[in-house]
Amino acid sequence: MLTLHVILIVLAVALVAMGRIEADRIHRGCESFNPSAPEISGSAFVAAHAVLSGTAGAGAFSAFQLMSVTADAEWSHGELSSMVSQATAAVDQQEREPA
């Protein structure tokens, strides 16, 4: 489960980093790759930033929720000992009863 936590957090950081790239840098990259490409509007960058930030937030939230669920699902030593003793007592009782 730890691997999934790490993947979600790294993905969220990568999405935030992608959303923080400046529009001028993207324009320069597009012009150097394809000079005849149409100009990308500023609203497209705002929409992309919103989508990337929202997805990163959802991924981070999911990672922390998963951490919480994982922590709550773990058994303490006392709980585990109690369950084992109850199970062995039940098995012993069944073996003593005549069939």
Side-chain angles (χ1 to χ4, degrees):
M1 288 303 259
L2 180 63
T3 305
L4 185 58
H5 301 143
V6 172
I7 289 171
L8 283 171
I9 292 172
V10 168
L11 181 61
V13 169
L15 289 171
V16 168
M18 287 170 53
R20 295 291 174 197
I21 296 175
E22 295 177 6
D24 294 338
R25 187 172 179 181
I26 300 293
H27 286 299
R28 285 193 308 261
C30 288
E31 287 175 3
S32 67
F33 182 69
N34 185 3
S36 63
E39 188 71 22
I40 301 171
S41 66
S43 61
F45 286 103
V46 172
H49 177 72
V51 168
L52 290 170
S53 297
T55 306
F61 178 77
S62 297
F64 289 115
Q65 284 294 105
L66 187 60
M67 284 183 205
S68 173
V69 167
T70 303
D72 291 343
E74 292 178 359
W75 288 35
S76 69
H77 180 70
E79 289 174 324
L80 188 57
S81 298
S82 172
M83 295 305 282
V84 168
S85 63
Q86 289 176 11
T88 55
V91 168
D92 289 342
Q93 185 180 13
Q94 286 179 353
E95 287 178 355
R96 290 182 187 145
E97 293 177 358

